[in-house]
């Protein structure tokens, strides 16, 4: 069995009550996940991205057994997640970016000791995995510190270690670099790359940070409105989305929209203007042209973020 | 009032943005400022509708259980504590209705204040151009009004429908009752404010708070009317501040304080309110000195 | 390519999970030692108030609903001990609603251990033993002062009653928690049946209206926690015309309650809708 994750026509429908009047309420069905199918073979690292409310978290929660699908077939490591949730828990590691699984008032090491006992990890294996995580994630000085005293980046590293002590086949990461400083981000990414290379751990990560995807994942899946919009290489995503970067220029005064070849003005706000240009093109000639022809005060280039890429992918609306 | 400096950071106080409030205070509309704080205290509880309904249900169930035990007790001793049976039942339902209003189970603003002291956010509050004690009192009065209406009316109505209660028909008595409740809320606030301030000196005040709240539960008359307490215990209990929270409002509603006696009851509540608020004020200025010395 | 761990051991059982999680919480609370002691004392005191009220009542009267002080104390002791045990084991299961609201239930669901055991041990604190302790003390006191003609059957019935009573209260706790999967803010409704039930059972059934007694006998069978067996021990008639052998059915009633509550829990967890995006 080489496909570790298999989804066939998976759906999740929520019934929501919305207030329509002072007392009246209306029942409405929301299809958070609307017929998704994909497979992930062992050892692959996949980015699972989409705007907020697209159905990312709902998918992950079904894959971990937290939520029961409304329809479709779902298998992780050959198990039906919601029916065999506790069995599956032995085979997966989960890191929720915003919620720690560590024990707030206790030293970091205590959380690992609990994992040792709860996952029934053989002693030697536990020590080996812990040593490795401590070394690569730089946790040695933190083991005796109560979790509440850790910084966000330290806690995230601590959470990642906690999710890996039992040698999971699959690791789900929900926004693993959110709120981290540059150095912590780099450390986390390097660690995940090593983990994937050495242990062939299958990794599925959701993120808002395109750099996470660029540096970690060969394959990207884009989900929106509960449907899979794209499944393929990252490069292809840029093409499919005709990704554009944005040049923000501050002029000396309010002027009519700037005229420049290969770029178009998408927004004007007083003396500030936004110009979109293809992500594949260099910004230099554009900047040179504008600096020459217009009274330029300041400028900045904005990289396309995932939401923008996705937004452009299937509706032709401008970014701003 | 500590009008020191005009740099005011955001405080969560009563769930209001402080900037608007500050500009009002500077404008001189101080009364309006506290009115807005009180309204905020009221409003933040209105969002918990299901929880309010659940609480009303539970209060009503407890009211029924306690009512029957009182019926059995007054069957044996008619006129115990000077109450006849329907007065005893009235007492039961008033106490269920007032439980949340005078905050006998603790919590509410005190937890929040302790948390702000613990995290040091209190330093921000002290530089706010609003008085700390008045600010929290206003918010708590808003909360009390919500609990009076949201948690009090239904249980009392239920009791009046299904049990033989001795409720007055005279609107003036009801008015006097409302005043007694208001004073009871102020005394309750003053007590909890004192306890919360102790967090300046004790690292973790949860234990103290729970002991004081236990004392309050016992000496307020929530468990048994204070006039049914035997001998000296009863006399002591009736002289303590907690008797202002429940016993006095209930007796006022049942018309047991009249004329000069009514004034005496109000005087008793006012006296405790003034004394406790005064001590709170002293503690507060000691705390301010402490924060200033430590550099916030 | 490293091999994945060869053998996956079975998940820890309910009791092992409970001990692990409770242990973590005990150590967490010990971080605040002074407060812990005060809360232990507080818990003992506040739960003892119920008995203080009864003592105060009996300082004014000699019997309540036709029952003597020792008899009421026996009812109090059995009700409070059973409830105290259930509360010590499952006391903060009513915090489930809060865990659902803030989304932290998810973190329990991805552990390889029974969720019910994890939720039951959540925020476990030794101060919960305060209630149990005072229940046991009152029960012991009542046993010493009761004038009962003890038979083997009656002696055996006391521990059976306490254990089945605990199980019935546990079922109420679990059913109440399951209810919170649908109504997270309604945790307080549960108190009406748990704390309210405990209070009700501390008094003789003769005190209450017949309809209430019928309700807690046939609808929500709290009467089987202590009323029916305890009245057999005390040699008192039940206010409803019921056969005497019902005094020996609490274990069956408890088993039925636990089964139903377990069913409700399973339905609840399957309909769980995790919050957040």
């Amino acid at each position: 069995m080489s496909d570790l994750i298999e989804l066939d026509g998976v759906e999740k429908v929520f019934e929501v009550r919305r207030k329509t009047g002072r007392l009246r309420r209306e029942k409405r069905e929301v299809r958070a996940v609307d017929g998704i199918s994909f497979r992930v073979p062992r050892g692959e690292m996949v980015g699972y991205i989409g705007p907020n409310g697209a159905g990312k978290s709902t998918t992950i929660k079904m894959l971990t057994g937290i939520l029961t699908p409304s329809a479709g077939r779902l298998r992780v490591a050959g198990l039906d997640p919601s029916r065999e949730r506790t069995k599956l828990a032995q085979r997966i590691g989960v890191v929720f970016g915003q919620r720690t699984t560590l024990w707030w008032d206790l030293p970091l090491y205590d959380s690992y000791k609990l994992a040792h006992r709860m996952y029934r990890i053989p002693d030697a294996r536990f020590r080996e995995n812990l040593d490795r995580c401590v070394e690569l994630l730089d946790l040695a000085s933190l083991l005796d510190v109560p979790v509440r005293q850790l910084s966000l980046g330290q806690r995230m590293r601590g959470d990642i270690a906690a999710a890996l002590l039992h040698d999971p086949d699959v690791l789900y990461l929900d926004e693993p670099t959110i709120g981290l400083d540059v150095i912590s981000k780099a450390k986390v990414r390097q660690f995940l790359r090593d983990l994937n290379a050495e242990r062939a751990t299958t990794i599925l990560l959701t993120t808002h940070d395109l750099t996470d995807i660029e540096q970690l994942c060969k394959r990207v899946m884009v989900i929106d409105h509960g449907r899979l919009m794209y499944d393929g290489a990252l490069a292809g995503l840029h093409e499919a989305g005709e990704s554009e970067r944005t040049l923000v220029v501050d002029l000396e005064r309010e002027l009519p929209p700037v005229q420049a070849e290969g770029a178009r003005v998408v927004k004007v706000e007083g003396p500030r203007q936004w110009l979109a240009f293809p992500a594949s093109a260099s910004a230099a000639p554009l900047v040179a042209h504008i600096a020459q022809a217009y009274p330029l005060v300041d400028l900045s280039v904005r990289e396309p973020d995932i939401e923008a890429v996705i937004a452009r992918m299937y509706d032709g609306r401008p970014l701003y | 009032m500590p009008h020191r400096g005009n740099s005011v950071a955001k405080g969560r106080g009563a769930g209001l943005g402080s900037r608007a409030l500050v500009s009002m205070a500077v404008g001189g509309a101080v009364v309006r400022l506290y009115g807005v704080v009180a309204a905020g205290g009221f409003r933040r509880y209105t969002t918990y509708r299901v929880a309010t309904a659940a609480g009303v249900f539970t209060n009503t169930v407890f009211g029924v259980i306690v009512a029957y035990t009182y019926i059995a007790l007054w069957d044996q001793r008619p006129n115990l504590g000077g109450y006849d049976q329907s007065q005893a039942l009235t007492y039961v339902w008033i106490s269920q209705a007032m439980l949340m209003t005078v905050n006998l189970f603790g919590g509410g603003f005190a937890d929040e204040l302790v948390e702000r002291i613990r995290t040091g956010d209190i330093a921000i509050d002290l530089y706010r151009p609003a008085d700390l004690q008045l600010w929290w009192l206003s918010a708590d009065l808003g909360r009390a009004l919500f609990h009076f209406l949201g948690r009090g009316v239904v249980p009392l109505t239920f009791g009046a429908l299904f049990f033989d209660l001795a409720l007055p028909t005279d609107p003036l008595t009801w008015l006097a009752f409302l005043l007694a409740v208001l004073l009871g809320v102020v005394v309750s606030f003053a007590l909890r404010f004192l306890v919360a301030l102790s967090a300046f000196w004790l690292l973790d005040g949860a234990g103290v708070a729970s002991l004081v709240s236990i004392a309050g539960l016992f000496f307020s008359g929530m468990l048994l009317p204070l006039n049914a307490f035997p001998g000296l215990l009863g006399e002591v209990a009736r002289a303590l501040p907690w008797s202002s929270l429940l016993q006095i409002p209930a007796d006022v509603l049942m018309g047991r304080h009249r004329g000069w006696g009514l004034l005496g009851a109000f005087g008793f509540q006012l006296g405790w309110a003034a004394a406790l608020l005064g001590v709170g004020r002293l503690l507060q200025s000691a705390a301010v000195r402490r924060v200033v010395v430590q550099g916030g | 390519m490293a091999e994945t761990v060869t053998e996956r051991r079975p998940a820890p059982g309910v009791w092992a999970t409970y001990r692990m999680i409770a242990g973590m919480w005990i150590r967490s609370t010990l971080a605040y030692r002074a407060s812990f002691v005060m809360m232990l004392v507080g818990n003992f005191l506040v739960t003892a108030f119920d008995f203080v009220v009864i003592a105060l009542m009996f300082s004014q009267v000699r019997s309540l609903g036709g029952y003597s002080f020792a008899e009421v104390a026996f009812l109090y002791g059995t009700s409070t001990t059973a409830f105290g045990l259930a509360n010590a084991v499952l006391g903060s299961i009513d915090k489930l609603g809060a865990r659902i609201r803030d989304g932290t239930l998810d973190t329990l669901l991805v552990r390889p251990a029974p969720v019910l055991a994890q939720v039951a041990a959540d925020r476990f604190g030794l101060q919960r033993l305060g209630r149990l302790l005072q229940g046991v003390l009152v029960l012991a006191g009542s046993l010493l002062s009761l004038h009962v003609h003890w038979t083997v059957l009656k002696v055996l019935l006391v521990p059976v009653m306490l254990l089945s009573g605990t199980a019935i209260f546990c079922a109420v706790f679990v059913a109440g928690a399951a209810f919170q999967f649908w109504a997270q803010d309604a945790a307080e409704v549960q108190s009406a049946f748990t704390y309210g039930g405990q209070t009700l059972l501390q008094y003789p059934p003769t005190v209450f209206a017949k309809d209430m007694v019928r309700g807690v006998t046939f609808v929500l069978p709290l009467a089987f926690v202590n009323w029916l067996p305890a009245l057999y021990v005390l040699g008192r008639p039940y206010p409803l015309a019921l056969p005497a052998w019902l005094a020996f059915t609490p274990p069956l009633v408890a088993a039925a309650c636990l089964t139903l509550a377990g069913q409700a829990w399973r339905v609840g967890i399957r309909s769980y809708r995790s919050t957040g995006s």
Side-chain angles (χ1 to χ4, degrees):
Chain A
M1 185 197 58
S2 66
D3 283 338
L4 215 51
I5 302 176
E6 306 164 67
L7 282 85
D8 287 303
V10 170
E11 293 178 16
K12 181 69 189 178
V13 182
F14 290 116
E15 205 168 72
V16 285
R17 277 160 215 260
R18 215 163 41 109
K19 261 172 76 172
T20 50
R22 197 160 264 286
L23 290 168
R24 241 177 303 161
R25 268 149 208 263
E26 178 190 74
K27 268 195 203 170
R28 208 163 47 93
E29 275 194 352
V30 173
R31 309 184 79 77
V33 170
D34 194 4
I36 284 190
S37 309
F38 63 78
R39 268 149 221 282
V40 179
R42 181 180 296 279
E44 201 166 50
M45 233 173 168
V46 184
Y48 194 60
I49 61 179
N52 284 332
K56 278 177 305 188
S57 293
T58 306
T59 315
I60 301 272
K61 282 171 185 170
M62 285 192 283
L63 286 171
T64 49
I66 293 172
L67 291 177
T68 312
S70 311
R73 185 174 170 278
L74 186 64
R75 289 287 178 278
V76 176
L79 299 169
D80 178 347
S82 68
R83 287 186 183 284
E84 301 167 282
R85 197 188 60 241
T86 44
K87 215 166 155 192
L88 178 70
Q90 291 272 7
R91 316 273 311 257
I92 62 171
V94 188
V95 177
F96 300 102
Q98 314 278 34
R99 284 166 206 140
T100 183
T101 54
L102 305 172
W103 289 76
W104 199 244
D105 282 319
L106 297 178
L108 183 57
Y109 183 66
D110 289 25
S111 294
Y112 298 150
K113 254 186 352 207
L114 179 72
H116 182 187
R117 290 169 58 206
M118 188 173 274
Y119 287 86
R120 309 206 164 183
I121 308 165
D123 293 352
R125 194 73 185 168
F126 171 72
R127 221 155 295 129
E128 185 188 326
N129 285 344
L130 182 63
D131 287 348
R132 188 187 138 85
C133 286
V134 165
E135 189 198 326
L136 293 177
L137 287 168
D138 208 1
L139 297 172
S141 59
L142 306 177
L143 287 177
D144 295 327
V145 181
V147 172
R148 67 182 130 84
Q149 292 172 13
L150 299 182
S151 73
L152 195 61
Q154 293 170 332
R155 209 163 69 215
M156 176 56 74
R157 273 148 44 206
D159 258 312
I160 291 176
L164 290 170
L165 295 174
H166 58 287
D167 290 301
D169 296 323
V170 187
L171 178 63
Y172 301 104
L173 297 161
D174 189 10
E175 301 286 354
T177 58
I178 200 166
L180 301 196
D181 60 87
V182 184
I183 297 167
S184 293
K185 273 186 188 181
K187 250 183 211 164
V188 165
R189 286 178 191 142
Q190 185 56 44
F191 177 80
L192 294 176
R193 261 197 304 270
D194 291 350
L195 178 79
N196 177 254
E198 288 170 28
R199 301 248 164 137
T201 306
T202 308
I203 298 177
L204 189 67
L205 84 134
T206 72
T207 183
H208 273 83
D209 188 338
L210 203 55
T211 324
D212 282 348
I213 305 279
E214 276 168 356
Q215 297 196 358
L216 294 174
C217 308
K218 291 194 190 74
R219 177 181 172 195
V220 185
M221 287 187 278
V222 179
I223 180 176
D224 195 28
H225 294 103
R227 290 167 185 274
L228 204 55
M229 307 300 295
Y230 177 85
D231 184 352
L234 180 64
L237 177 64
H238 277 292
E239 266 163 44
E242 296 170 58
S243 168
E244 288 182 326
R245 288 193 282 173
T246 310
L247 179 69
V248 185
V249 294
D250 285 322
L251 306 174
E252 263 175 23
R253 57 187 182 278
E254 283 184 47
L255 286 170
V258 168
Q259 303 288 324
E261 205 178 313
R264 60 197 168 80
V265 174
V266 289
K267 188 176 164 189
V268 178
E269 216 178 79
R272 176 173 287 191
Q273 302 198 3
W274 283 259
L275 288 90
F277 64 100
S280 49
S282 162
L286 183 63
V287 172
H289 167 72
I290 294 172
Q292 196 181 16
Y294 292 91
L296 188 62
V297 178
D298 195 9
L299 59 81
S300 63
V301 176
R302 290 193 189 161
E303 294 300 321
D305 71 343
I306 283 173
E307 303 220 356
V309 170
I310 294 158
R312 287 195 52 79
M313 213 175 92
Y314 54 91
D315 67 20
R317 271 179 298 148
L319 296 188
Y320 291 100
Chain B
M1 286 210 292
H3 282 277
R4 280 172 288 119
N6 50 10
S7 75
V8 175
K10 276 212 182 103
R12 285 168 304 161
L16 291 162
S18 56
R19 193 158 306 179
L21 300 177
V22 169
S23 62
M24 272 183 224
V26 171
V30 177
V31 176
R32 231 174 65 219
L33 163 73
Y34 295 111
V36 173
V37 175
F42 181 92
R43 216 170 314 112
R44 73 188 296 197
Y45 281 90
T46 57
T47 50
Y48 305 112
R49 280 169 209 214
V50 178
T52 303
V56 165
F57 174 79
T58 304
N59 286 154
T60 308
V61 169
F62 268 93
V64 171
I65 293 171
V66 179
Y68 278 108
T69 65
Y70 280 23
I71 290 174
L73 184 61
W74 262 265
D75 270 347
Q76 288 292 305
R77 272 288 299 273
N79 237 358
L80 174 61
Y83 284 167
D84 61 26
Q85 196 174 77
S86 63
Q87 283 176 317
L89 288 175
T90 311
Y91 187 89
V92 172
W93 288 100
I94 291 175
S95 60
Q96 288 299 326
M98 296 268 297
L99 185 69
M100 289 302 289
T101 306
V102 294
N103 214 337
L104 280 173
F105 285 147
F109 88 93
D111 289 351
E112 203 177 328
L113 181 53
V114 167
E115 187 60 21
R116 289 184 76 73
I117 293 171
R118 219 173 52 77
T119 56
D121 286 353
I122 193 73
I124 298 165
D125 299 356
L126 292 174
Y127 284 99
R128 201 186 261 152
D131 179 69
L132 188 70
Q133 195 182 38
L134 268 178
W135 173 284
W136 288 102
L137 175 60
S138 312
D140 197 49
L141 286 176
R143 175 210 58 78
L145 179 63
F146 175 79
H147 279 148
F148 187 73
L149 298 173
R151 295 281 300 257
V153 172
V154 174
L156 191 57
T157 310
F158 181 95
L161 287 176
F162 292 94
F163 292 86
D164 170 31
L165 302 193
L167 291 171
T169 48
D170 173 19
L172 277 179
T173 312
W174 282 96
L175 218 59
F177 169 64
L178 291 183
L179 181 59
V181 172
L182 175 68
L183 290 171
V185 172
V186 175
V187 173
S188 159
F189 165 82
L191 279 163
R192 285 172 293 133
F193 187 73
L194 277 183
V195 175
L197 284 192
S198 73
F200 273 110
W201 292 271
L202 302 169
L203 204 61
D204 176 31
V208 176
S210 86
L211 286 186
V212 173
S213 122
I214 286 163
L217 211 52
F218 188 73
F219 289 113
S220 64
M222 183 66 217
L223 305 167
L224 196 68
L226 297 181
N227 24 347
F229 277 28
L232 184 66
L233 180 63
E235 278 170 44
V236 172
R238 286 188 288 274
L240 290 172
W242 289 287
S243 67
S244 303
L245 308 194
L246 187 58
Q247 186 69 47
I248 290 180
D251 281 342
V252 167
L253 186 62
M254 290 189 280
R256 284 164 56 89
H257 298 294
R258 289 185 185 284
W260 289 109
L262 184 61
L263 284 183
F266 288 150
F268 178 85
Q269 288 182 303
L270 266 176
W272 272 119
L276 291 166
L277 286 175
V279 177
R281 200 126 276 270
L282 289 177
L283 267 187
Q284 181 184 328
S285 46
V288 170
R289 272 198 301 279
R290 194 179 149 88
V291 169
V292 172
V293 168
Q294 289 181 343
Chain C
M1 185 164 142
E3 81 285 27
T4 52
V5 159
T6 42
E7 50 181 308
R8 300 283 174 180
R9 309 234 183 137
V14 169
W15 182 232
T17 304
Y18 190 90
R19 279 205 328 258
M20 276 183 232
I21 303 286
M24 295 294 271
W25 280 109
I26 289 173
R27 294 198 303 133
S28 292
T29 50
L30 287 183
Y32 305 98
R33 218 165 282 251
S35 263
F36 164 73
V37 173
M38 276 198 263
M39 279 168 80
L40 180 65
V41 174
N43 206 279
F44 184 88
L45 282 179
V46 83
T47 57
F49 276 164
D50 288 344
F51 190 69
V52 172
V53 170
I54 290 173
L56 284 177
M57 285 178 169
F58 275 95
S59 75
Q60 311 278 10
V61 296
R62 305 196 54 173
S63 74
L64 203 63
Y67 283 63
S68 71
F69 188 32
E71 287 173 315
V72 174
F74 181 63
L75 289 175
Y76 179 97
T78 48
S79 163
T80 308
T81 304
F83 182 75
L85 262 170
N87 182 62
V89 176
L90 291 175
S92 53
I93 204 169
D94 61 352
K95 299 284 187 295
L96 178 70
R99 278 215 177 260
I100 293 173
R101 264 199 310 276
D102 67 16
T104 49
L105 182 65
D106 289 357
T107 60
L108 308 189
L109 284 165
V110 297
R111 289 185 186 146
V115 183
L116 185 55
Q118 293 187 63
V119 174
D122 203 13
R123 309 197 167 276
F124 182 88
L126 286 172
Q127 68 268 19
R128 286 197 213 154
L129 299 177
R131 181 189 300 271
L132 177 61
L133 179 65
Q134 62 96 7
V136 171
L137 287 176
V138 173
L139 179 61
S142 76
L143 288 175
L144 290 175
S145 49
L146 270 179
H147 299 290
V148 166
H149 177 67
W150 288 101
T151 61
V152 177
L153 212 51
K154 285 183 179 181
V155 171
L156 285 177
L157 193 52
V158 173
V160 169
M161 163 171 43
L162 293 178
L163 290 178
S164 337
T166 305
I168 293 173
F169 271 127
C170 283
V172 177
F173 270 117
V174 171
F179 178 60
Q180 293 189 33
F181 281 110
W182 292 282
Q184 289 105 54
D185 289 333
E188 226 184 315
V189 169
Q190 189 172 340
S191 314
F193 300 110
T194 51
Y195 294 93
Q198 179 208 219
T199 309
L200 179 87
L201 299 176
Q202 290 167 350
Y203 292 88
T206 47
V207 161
F208 299 99
K210 280 259 167 65
D211 281 334
M212 279 177 78
V213 178
R214 281 193 197 98
V216 295
T217 309
F218 302 117
V219 184
L220 185 71
L222 291 173
F224 292 83
V225 168
N226 70 342
W227 275 356
L228 284 161
L231 264 51
Y232 174 84
V233 172
L234 297 175
R236 294 275 186 162
Y238 197 61
L240 310 176
L242 293 177
W245 54 263
L246 277 179
F248 301 96
T249 54
L252 297 177
V253 174
C257 288
L258 284 176
T259 310
L260 283 174
Q263 213 62 40
W265 174 262
R266 270 185 288 277
V267 174
I269 208 156
R270 275 190 81 77
S271 70
Y272 167 58
R273 321 161 35 148
S274 172
T275 53
S277 56

